[in-house]
Amino acid sequence: MARNIELLNRRSLAVPRGVATALPIFIARAENVEMWDEEGRRYIDFAGGIAVLNVGHRHPRVAAAVRAQLDDYMHVAFQVTAYEPYVELAERLNALAPFSGEARTLLLTTGAEAVENAVKIARAATGRSGVIAFTGGFHGRTALTMALTGKVVPYKRGFGVSVPNVYHLPFPVPHHGIEVEQTLRALQYLFAADMPPEDVAAIIIEPVQGEGGFHAAPAALLAALRTLCDEHGIMLIADEVQTGFGRTGRMFGIEHSGIEPDLVTVAKSMGGGLPISGVIGRAAVMDAVEPGGLGGTYGGPPLGCAAGLAVLDVIEDEGLLERAEAIGKRIIRRLEELAVRNDLLPIGHIRGLGAMIAFDMLEDRGSDAVAPNGAKTVTTRAADEGLILLGCGTYGETIRILVPLTASDAIVDEGLAAIERALRA
C-alpha cells in the first residue's frame, strides 16, 4: 500500500505547486461521513469535499443511479443528441426555483462555469456589461469569475490585469466594522463615480459567503438590492454553489430572506460527488440568449444528471432539510459551550444557517479581534485527532463546518469532541 509520504513525493514532482492541498493525506476509501487514508487511518469528514457531499460519500442511491446510467450511455453531448435525464433534472430544478413564475435551467459542469453563464445570460437579457460583486465573495478561478471574486490572495495575485467592468462593494460584517448602510452607501458612490446603474447587467451575491467566512447576507441588504435591481432593470444573481441543496436548512440559501433572485447558480452538492452545475433563471431572462449561445461539450453530463436526480430524491425522502437544522443547532450549542472555557484557545463569532456553521479564532477571549491565520493551527491539530476541517475567512481566521447532512448524532458528537481537543491551549 502506498504511504502518504511516498505519494507526497510523487505529487511534488507531478503536480504544479499552485495546486495546494490543505493536508498531507491521501484518501483510499470513503463512506458517508468517514474516510480512510492510504495507511488505513480513519477520519471524520467535516469538510464534505468543500460542500460537495451534503448526502455523504458514496450514498447508495446516488451510486446505484450512476451505475444504471453507466449501463446505458456515458456521453453523447446534449447539443448533438438530447437525453431525458437532462430534461428531467431541469424540470425538477425549475419546480424548486426560489422565485415565482416560469423557470428554465441550463446544465453545465462546474460552479465557475455556472457563474460565467449567469453573467452571460444577464448581459444578453439587459444589453449591458457591468457586474457588481462583493468583497470576500468567491465565484471561481476563471478569468471572469476570478475578477468577481473579492479576495486577492491567493486567487488573483500574479495573474495580471482583471476583466473590466467588474466592481466590488464592501460586504456587511459587523465585527469587521461594515454595516448594511455602509454597503448601500458605497453602491451609490459607485453609481456616481464609476458606472451608472443603466450600465449594470447584474449584481451577484452569495446568500452566505463561502470562502469569505460563512457570513450570511443580511435580509435588509438583499431586500435593498432587489428594490434597486427592479428600479434599474438589473439582474440579481444568487450564487448558491455552496449554499444550495439543503446545506442551510432550505433547498437554497436565498429562501431564508424571502427575496427572489432572477438567476441562481448551482453546483457542488448538486451531483453528490459527480461534476455537474447549472443556472436556474426566470424563463424570459434565460430565453434572451439566441440558440447556440449556451452550452458546452460536457454540459449536463448524463452521469451527473443521474446523480443529481438521485440527490434530490435523497434530500426529500430522508428529510435532509430538517436534518440540516437539527445538525446546525447541535453544533452551535456545543461550540457555545467551548467558547466560554478558559482552557481552550479563544473562539467567537459563532454563526450559521442550518448546517453551514463557522466560528472565528480570536486574539483574546471576549474580543472581536480575530487571530490572522489562526484557523490553520486548529485544522492541522484536528487532522491529528482524526477530523478533517477547513479554514476560510478574509484573514484566515475562520473554521467552517460542512459535515454531510446524512451524519448521525453520534458521529457529529465525535467530530465536535475532536474540535475540543484541537482547541486545547
Side-chain angles (χ1 to χ4, degrees):
M1 180 185 294
R3 298 179 62 82
N4 288 323
I5 188 65
E6 296 167 350
L7 288 168
L8 279 170
N9 290 334
R10 288 170 56 188
R11 179 197 191 286
S12 68
L13 296 174
V15 180
R17 68 188 187 95
V19 183
T21 303
L23 297 167
I25 298 167
F26 285 77
I27 295 302
R29 183 167 62 92
E31 192 78 28
N32 196 11
V33 193
E34 298 170 281
M35 302 190 295
W36 290 264
D37 72 7
E38 289 283 355
E39 298 172 10
R41 185 174 183 191
R42 170 184 175 266
Y43 295 88
I44 296 172
D45 187 5
F46 269 28
I50 317 181
V52 169
L53 299 165
N54 287 356
V55 300
H57 291 273
R58 299 176 61 245
H59 192 288
R61 294 178 66 177
V62 176
V66 172
R67 290 190 192 100
Q69 179 59 53
L70 189 61
D71 287 340
D72 292 335
Y73 52 90
M74 292 176 62
H75 175 77
V76 294
F78 194 75
Q79 285 85 239
V80 179
T81 54
Y83 39 91
E84 185 177 5
Y86 186 118
V87 176
E88 184 180 356
L89 183 55
E91 289 171 339
R92 292 187 64 177
L93 292 174
N94 291 341
L96 293 168
F99 50 77
S100 55
E102 192 176 0
R104 300 273 191 275
T105 291
L106 163 71
L107 296 179
L108 303 155
T109 49
T110 69
E113 194 179 1
V115 172
E116 290 254 359
N117 277 273
V119 172
K120 282 172 55 178
I121 293 164
R123 285 173 167 170
T126 62
R128 309 169 184 178
S129 62
V131 186
I132 297 172
F134 290 83
T135 58
F138 180 83
H139 302 287
R141 296 175 183 268
T142 63
L144 175 58
T145 59
M146 182 174 62
L148 293 169
T149 292
K151 188 176 181 180
V152 171
V153 180
Y155 305 116
K156 298 184 181 185
R157 188 164 65 185
F159 293 118
V161 177
S162 185
V163 171
N165 292 326
V166 174
Y167 300 84
H168 291 89
L169 299 175
F171 189 88
V173 179
H175 65 262
H176 288 174
I178 305 296
E179 303 284 351
V180 171
E181 292 76 12
Q182 292 166 280
T183 300
L184 296 175
R185 192 177 307 122
L187 178 57
Q188 294 304 321
Y189 289 155
L190 189 154
F191 285 159
D194 293 312
M195 181 174 55
E198 58 267 23
D199 289 346
V200 180
I203 297 175
I204 184 167
I205 189 168
E206 297 165 281
V208 182
Q209 286 199 330
E211 295 293 323
F214 278 31
H215 300 292
L221 173 63
L222 293 171
L225 294 178
R226 180 71 271 173
T227 299
L228 279 164
C229 287
D230 290 340
E231 180 181 352
H232 298 292
I234 299 168
M235 299 292 105
L236 181 61
I237 303 173
D239 186 341
E240 296 270 2
V241 168
Q242 190 158 167
T243 51
F245 297 91
R247 173 53 52 182
T248 69
R250 305 284 180 88
M251 186 60 71
F252 301 108
I254 195 77
E255 293 178 270
H256 290 275
S257 69
I259 301 304
E260 296 188 358
D262 300 296
L263 296 160
V264 181
T265 60
V266 291
K268 287 192 180 284
S269 278
M270 178 178 177
L274 269 71
I276 188 167
S277 68
V279 182
I280 311 167
R282 298 183 188 276
V285 176
M286 298 292 283
D287 286 341
V289 181
E290 293 293 325
L294 300 174
T297 300
Y298 294 104
L303 297 181
C305 290
L309 290 166
V311 164
L312 292 178
D313 289 340
V314 170
I315 290 172
E316 181 178 358
D317 295 346
E318 297 188 14
L320 294 190
L321 302 186
E322 295 79 10
R323 182 61 183 153
E325 293 283 1
I327 288 176
K329 289 176 182 176
R330 192 177 194 88
I331 293 172
I332 286 178
R333 183 167 59 246
R334 183 67 178 132
L335 292 176
E336 288 174 342
E337 293 172 355
L338 300 180
V340 298
R341 286 180 42 183
N342 293 323
D343 61 327
L344 304 179
L345 295 173
I347 68 172
H349 307 142
I350 299 165
R351 56 193 180 270
L353 284 177
M356 191 170 183
I357 308 297
F359 61 92
D360 290 341
M361 303 306 301
L362 303 180
E363 288 279 14
D364 299 292
R365 197 171 311 283
S367 167
D368 267 344
V370 300
N373 300 314
K376 182 62 176 177
T377 298
V378 178
T379 57
T380 301
R381 288 184 180 183
D384 291 339
E385 297 291 340
L387 176 70
I388 305 299
L389 271 180
L390 291 175
C392 63
T394 304
Y395 309 105
E397 77 279 19
T398 302
I399 301 291
R400 51 178 159 171
I401 298 176
L402 289 162
V403 61
L405 306 180
T406 48
S408 67
D409 287 347
I411 207 162
V412 170
D413 289 345
E414 188 180 349
L416 290 170
I419 290 177
E420 177 183 351
R421 295 192 296 274
L423 288 172
R424 283 181 182 152

